[in-house]
Each structure stands twice: as structure tokens, then as C-alpha cells.
Amino acid sequence: MKIRNSILIFFADLYRVWRRELRLVFRDEGVVIFFFVLCAVYPILYALIYDTEVANDVKVVVVDNDRSQLSREFARALDATPEVKIVQYVANMQEAQQLMAEKECYGVVLLPSGFERDVITGVQGHVSLYCDMGALMRYKQMLMGLTSVQQSVSNGMMKEKLAIFTNDNSAVIESKQVPLGNTAMGLASALLPCVFVLVLQQSMLLGIGMLRGGSRERRLENRGYDPMDVGAGVIATVLGRALCHWVLYLIPTIYVLHFAPVFFSYPQNGQVVDIALMVLPFLFATSFMGQTISVFVNDRESVFITIVFTSVIFVFLTGISWPRYAMSQFWIIVGNAIPSTWACNSYVMMQTGGASLEQLKESHFMLWALAAIYFVFACVVEKYLFRARARRMQHYAKGDPDALLREEYRRNAVDRM
């Protein structure tokens, strides 16, 4: 009977914490913005920025110092590619540099003197490409267009020399590009699925931090007591908050990870059930992580200083811009401790490569492991830091009711009392 009563009390506390947290979320405009508005706006904003996907007909100029039949054919073939558009032929590199400085072009193709002679005599020919690196998409397209023309010309030259060994209509080495996951071969399809997962994580961390700052401000105004506190146990408090966050994020998660990719035709090769099972531990791990790191939040505004700056760090730790295997061991360990690292890579592999949950069982296990570890940390922080601070605030307020506010004004350099 005693055990049964303890279980009933635990679930009653769990429900009271869940209900209290739900009320706090919808009473706080800042938290509503982080939890819902940010999740609604950011995916659309990022997608519109990268909506072009690829940059076709990138403007380049040609400096043809050879002026031979082969150099002219090479330039015409380059202009015929979908990636590059030749806007002008200039006499020297000085004129080309001037046009690039005036943004009349974004690249310069230099065909050196003796280009045709070197190719015909068997000496390796050289073609130089000078790029404006202001946008990665333009550089990528120029390089792809030049490479494809170079391969085509090389195959044509080899075919002529080896005609007696090959059929008239066959290439020496046939090159064919078949995109599997990212069929658009665009930057947005490659990057944004990863960014969408990070949006969910960062919005939840910011909202949780603001809730913690609001609790401390209520204690300052009420002599160390939080009028919204329900007096539940540590485990019930931590778990009740996480359940509330999980319920609140059901709709934003479906919107961000399913409907946003549908709107912009991003790869959708994953199974819905597999993605849902992967997201489940990710949301819990993020909630417990937010409750843990909110120990560094002193007031509602400090959440911007404490958490916002981590967004860029977490982006790099996922391996989206630099492969994780090339990172130092320190950063690999740090990345392994962040839920988004595992969730981003899993989501991209599912949606782009069609991977199943069974193939990503290591990532799934790591997300559950992080959820368990951060749950323990959140309980420790709640019991030995947050509640200990609350008891100290109550103790100071007993001797001097204005002591807490006076100390807060002094800390913020506000002359109020």
C-alpha cells in the first residue's frame, strides 16, 4: 500500500509539474516566440535564402592567348554548359580583373599561349580558372562546368588517337553523373535538412533558458519563493518539464521535419516511422540538456548571451562544413555530447540516402544514452544548485525582505534602493 501511494504521489506530482510548465509557456510571450514562432519562421526563411539551389549561367570572361581552333572550341563548349555563360572575350588579364572588380563577371578562364600545340604534341595542356569566392555556389558551378568540358575534350582527343581500337561512336572512358539522394544537386538540399534539426534544438534550449530566468525573477520579487512552484520531487519536476516540452514540440517537429521539406521539394527518402523513432530521444535529450545548462542563466535576457552563441558551434560540430573524421579528438568528443550531432546526421542519412533505423542504430542508441545522461545531470542541477539557491534566497530574505532586490540592483548597476 505504501509503495502504491508513493507511485500515485509521483504521478500526481508529474502531472502538476506538466500542467504548471504548460501554463508558464503560454503565459510567457518570449517562450512562445522561441518554441513556436521561431520554429515556424526559420525553416521558411532559410529555405527562401537558398531557394535557388544551384547558380546556372554564372558569368565568366575568357582570356584566349592561344587563339587557335582548339581554344575556340574549348570556349564554345564551356559557354554551352548550363553552369557557365561567357559574357565577353578580353585581350589580357588586366581587363578581366577590371571586369571582375566591377562585378561584370564572377570568373576568368585563361587559355595560355601554346595550348593547342601542347595538346597535339602530347604535352599536358593547362587551363586556368580564377574565381570570385564571394559565393560558394558560383565557384562550384564554374568548376563543374570547366571540369566537364575538360573531360569531354580529353575524351575526344583520346578517341581520335585510339580510333583503331574503339568503335566510331564510343568514348574511351564514358563519364555519366547520376545523383542518388540529392537529385537537385543543390546547396539547400544538402545543408538545410541538417539546419532544420538544429532549429528545433536551439529553439527549445532558448525557451527552457528563458523559463528558468523567469523563475529566478519571480523568486527575487517574492522573497525567495516562486508562486508557480508546485513543490514536487526532483525526478518528477525534471521529467514533468521534459514531458511538457515533448508534447509542445510534436506539432513544430512535424512541421519542420516533414512539411518544410515538402514545401521546397527537398529529399524525402526516409520512412516516417523511422524518423519519428529517431526524433523521440532527440527531443528528450534536448530538454534534459536545456534544463542542465540553464544553470548558467541568471535572468531572462542572459539566455541570449548564454545559449545563442552555441548555434554556430553546433552547426560545425555536426560535420556539415568539415567532416567529423578530420576533426581533432577533443572536438569529436564535444560533438558526441550534443544531441543535434547525432540527430542531424541521422535525419540527413534517412531523408537523402534512404537509411533505415536499423542502419542507424548507433546514432539511435547514442541519443537515448544522451537523454539518460542529461536526465541525471538535470536532476543533480535541480537538487543541488537550483533548490539550494532558492533556500539561500529565502534565508537572506527572512532577515531583510529587500536584500534580494537590493543585491540584484547592485549586480546590474541600477540605483533603485
Side-chain angles (χ1 to χ4, degrees):
M1 182 65 70
K2 191 172 182 179
I3 296 176
R4 180 184 176 186
N5 289 337
S6 299
I7 294 174
L8 291 176
I9 291 172
F10 172 79
F11 280 104
D13 287 346
L14 195 69
Y15 171 71
R16 289 190 299 124
V17 172
W18 178 86
R19 185 178 61 180
R20 185 274 312 268
E21 196 76 4
L22 201 64
R23 290 175 58 193
L24 288 174
V25 169
F26 287 103
R27 288 177 55 178
D28 193 318
E29 295 178 355
V31 178
V32 170
I33 290 174
F34 282 138
F35 276 5
F36 303 109
V37 178
L38 190 149
C39 289
V41 173
Y42 268 38
I44 302 298
L45 179 63
Y46 284 129
L48 290 176
I49 291 174
Y50 291 97
D51 187 44
T52 307
E53 287 269 17
V54 293
N56 290 325
D57 288 334
V58 180
K59 295 186 291 185
V60 301
V61 297
V62 174
V63 180
D64 186 359
N65 290 333
D66 193 44
R67 301 181 186 276
S68 62
Q69 180 180 354
L70 181 60
S71 66
R72 288 192 292 270
E73 290 178 356
F74 191 98
R76 284 196 296 268
L78 182 62
D79 190 35
T81 63
E83 293 88 1
V84 173
K85 178 182 180 181
I86 296 176
V87 294
Q88 194 171 340
Y89 291 83
V90 295
N92 51 55
M93 286 297 297
Q94 288 73 22
E95 292 183 25
Q97 291 174 2
Q98 181 64 30
L99 290 172
M100 185 177 288
E102 296 172 356
K103 298 300 180 183
E104 295 295 328
C105 67
Y106 301 104
V108 178
V109 176
L110 173 62
L111 295 164
S113 177
F115 173 68
E116 183 180 55
R117 181 193 66 236
D118 291 342
V119 172
I120 293 176
T121 57
V123 179
Q124 186 178 47
H126 295 277
V127 179
S128 299
L129 173 65
Y130 299 88
C131 301
D132 178 0
M133 295 298 292
L136 179 63
M137 288 191 294
R138 290 197 291 262
Y139 160 73
K140 167 179 169 287
Q141 293 299 91
M142 285 186 282
L143 186 60
M144 285 182 60
L146 187 62
T147 302
S148 65
V149 172
Q150 176 265 327
Q151 290 177 341
S152 176
V153 172
S154 298
N155 281 336
M157 300 294 294
M158 292 180 67
K159 178 183 174 182
E160 292 178 4
K161 293 182 179 182
L162 301 177
I164 59 174
F165 302 108
T166 62
N167 296 327
D168 291 340
N169 296 324
S170 64
V172 177
I173 299 176
E174 184 177 3
S175 177
K176 188 176 182 180
Q177 190 176 47
V178 183
L180 296 177
N182 184 358
T183 55
M185 298 182 66
L187 194 61
S189 295
L191 299 181
L192 291 191
C194 182
V195 173
F196 287 169
V197 178
L198 279 163
V199 167
L200 292 173
Q201 174 180 278
Q202 294 305 99
S203 67
M204 185 183 290
L205 293 180
L206 289 167
I208 292 172
M210 185 163 282
L211 286 171
R212 174 58 64 182
S215 174
R216 182 175 179 277
E217 290 178 0
R218 288 192 298 272
R219 291 185 182 278
L220 288 172
E221 296 171 355
N222 294 277
R223 302 181 181 181
Y225 293 92
D226 184 356
M228 300 298 294
D229 190 14
V230 296
V234 172
I235 295 178
T237 299
V238 173
L239 194 57
R241 289 172 181 159
L243 287 172
C244 177
H245 303 154
W246 183 81
V247 170
L248 291 173
Y249 265 77
L250 284 177
I251 294 179
T253 300
I254 294 172
Y255 167 77
V256 172
L257 299 186
H258 178 70
F259 287 105
V262 169
F263 294 157
F264 294 93
S265 301
Y266 296 151
Q268 300 167 64
N269 300 317
Q271 297 295 321
V272 174
V273 175
D274 288 344
I275 295 174
L277 292 175
M278 184 65 71
V279 168
L280 175 62
F282 165 68
L283 293 179
F284 277 117
T286 303
S287 176
F288 294 138
M289 178 184 174
Q291 294 182 59
T292 301
I293 65 176
S294 61
V295 67
F296 301 108
V297 177
N298 290 321
D299 45 51
R300 289 164 52 82
E301 292 77 13
S302 64
V303 70
F304 294 98
I305 302 174
T306 307
I307 297 176
V308 168
F309 81 96
T310 62
S311 301
V312 177
I313 298 174
F314 293 161
V315 167
F316 288 120
L317 290 177
T318 61
I320 191 173
S321 60
W322 185 257
R324 276 172 51 80
Y325 63 79
M327 297 180 185
S328 66
Q329 191 62 32
F330 171 77
W331 289 113
I332 291 176
I333 293 173
V334 173
N336 289 343
I338 309 302
S340 60
T341 300
W342 301 98
C344 286
N345 285 282
S346 299
Y347 180 69
V348 170
M349 291 178 188
M350 286 180 175
Q351 291 289 64
T352 303
S356 66
L357 190 64
E358 176 64 24
Q359 294 172 311
L360 300 171
K361 57 185 178 182
E362 179 187 0
S363 297
H364 195 215
F365 169 80
M366 284 301 301
L367 285 172
W368 278 115
L370 287 176
I373 292 170
Y374 279 121
F375 172 71
V376 174
F377 286 164
C379 290
V380 171
V381 167
E382 176 67 25
K383 182 176 182 179
Y384 295 104
L385 292 178
F386 290 139
R387 300 198 175 193
R389 290 177 182 175
R391 288 192 295 269
R392 287 197 298 270
M393 293 172 73
Q394 295 164 13
H395 174 73
Y396 294 146
K398 282 182 180 179
D400 183 358
D402 297 325
L404 297 177
L405 286 176
R406 187 162 52 248
E407 174 62 22
E408 186 69 8
Y409 294 147
R410 186 199 65 79
R411 188 174 68 86
N412 290 283
V414 177
D415 186 15
R416 293 282 298 274
M417 299 185 67

